[in-house]
Amino acid sequence: MICALASAFCFGAASVFQAMAARASEPGTGGGVDVALMWRALRQWRYVAGLGMDALGFALQIVALRTLPIYVVGAALAASLAVTAVIASRLLHVRLSRVEWTAVAVVCAGLAMLALAAGREGHDGGSEALRWALLGVSFGVLLLGVAGGRLPEKPRALVLGLGAGFGFGVVEVAVRLIDGIDFADPVWYALLVGGGAAFLLLTSALQRGSVTTATAGAVLGETIGPAVVGVVWLGDSTRAGLGWLAILGFAVAVAGSLTLARFGEPPAPAEPAGANPRGEDRNRAPAPAPERGPHTP
């Protein structure tokens, strides 16, 4: 559980740097998923720092997934939004509303309930069909990104965010299914394709649409699906008689995280007092209108 929470901290801090880099990168000419966007973002030191935090978080996530049920780790990773909100409030001087501070507390309460109710991870290795299905889902994430990139702006962010969440969910399940180094195992390729597609879709969603919508979609995609797979196919369970507490804790943690979805990236810097969005001084008297002459249109 310590590894799961430490992983959430790394991912929460990384999202701040990555979103700042994505928005600072020069946008592409198209309206959909921009493959070259990640390469442009890599020129930003913030994106590279975020990737380093992601790498550390992923290593901690692997340890957690090999010890805890997937539904616990998934809820903990969704709680990274609470980490981002707290970091933003301290370092970026962002004011959190009472609802948002309450959501942070709700996330913590949900994780506490999960920690009390969770048993050990299941020991079912997963069928061969599940392994190939996981590879199919990983390629489906790529197709979803292509289709979602052609949608109008409002639904585009949700679809790309959901696709990114599905990709991260593939990674979570793949980590549980990997049993030694065997490159004939389709799970390895599902891990690579799903993780790469998730990063691409989420980076595009953060730059091209509503951050709140994209982040909420990613949270839903990476928590619910993997949790179901873990319980139904991999044998994840709860402590005797505490199944209800695990379900409640999972729902509470995810709901609190969705409330904090706007912290998928830091807010834009506050504009100076007296300035309007065009940078003009609101307190300055307007310039007098030119006198109309015979050639004034």
Side-chain angles (χ1 to χ4, degrees):
M1 193 65 187
I2 292 175
C3 288
L5 295 177
S7 178
F9 178 84
C10 291
F11 289 141
S15 67
V16 175
F17 291 100
Q18 288 173 339
M20 291 174 65
R23 284 298 174 95
S25 299
E26 181 183 355
T29 57
V33 178
D34 186 1
V35 178
L37 171 61
M38 184 172 292
W39 298 112
R40 294 195 297 272
L42 283 171
R43 300 174 186 173
Q44 306 275 338
W45 70 266
R46 294 181 183 87
Y47 198 84
V48 177
L51 288 178
M53 295 179 187
D54 278 331
L56 178 58
F58 182 62
L60 294 166
Q61 179 186 358
I62 290 176
V63 177
L65 284 168
R66 305 293 287 189
T67 309
L68 292 173
I70 294 179
Y71 63 83
V72 178
V73 181
L77 296 182
S80 63
L81 291 175
V83 175
T84 304
V86 173
I87 291 176
S89 70
R90 299 300 181 186
L91 300 184
L92 301 178
H93 308 292
V94 177
R95 293 181 63 87
L96 301 185
S97 66
R98 291 183 180 180
V99 172
E100 288 167 337
W101 276 118
T102 301
V104 172
V106 165
V107 169
C108 295
L111 292 176
M113 286 187 278
L114 280 171
L116 290 173
R120 294 186 63 84
E121 90 285 3
H123 296 288
D124 296 346
S127 65
E128 192 70 16
L130 177 60
R131 295 170 181 271
W132 285 104
L134 199 64
L135 180 60
V137 171
S138 67
F139 282 104
V141 171
L142 288 175
L143 295 177
L144 184 61
V146 173
R150 299 177 179 177
L151 294 174
E153 183 176 351
K154 289 184 178 180
R156 182 194 307 153
L158 177 60
V159 172
L160 292 180
L162 274 173
F166 293 152
F168 290 129
V170 167
V171 172
E172 293 177 23
V173 178
V175 168
R176 277 285 299 276
L177 292 177
I178 287 176
D179 186 18
I181 299 178
D182 179 9
F183 293 112
D185 190 342
V187 170
W188 281 97
Y189 303 100
L191 175 68
L192 296 175
V193 175
F199 268 111
L200 176 60
L201 267 63
L202 187 58
T203 302
S204 297
L206 288 175
Q207 189 196 51
R208 298 176 181 276
S210 166
V211 172
T212 300
T213 302
T215 306
V219 168
L220 290 173
E222 71 178 339
T223 52
I224 297 177
V228 172
V229 171
V231 172
V232 177
W233 284 286
L234 300 181
D236 288 347
S237 60
T238 64
R239 294 184 181 181
L242 293 181
W244 65 271
L245 184 61
I247 295 174
L248 179 61
F250 180 86
V252 166
V254 173
S257 298
L258 291 176
T259 304
L260 298 168
R262 77 178 179 96
F263 290 97
E265 74 164 5
E271 61 181 67
N276 65 17
R278 295 182 179 179
E280 302 169 345
D281 191 344
R282 291 194 184 95
N283 298 323
R284 186 179 63 191
E291 295 183 4
R292 295 182 62 84
H295 301 292
T296 303

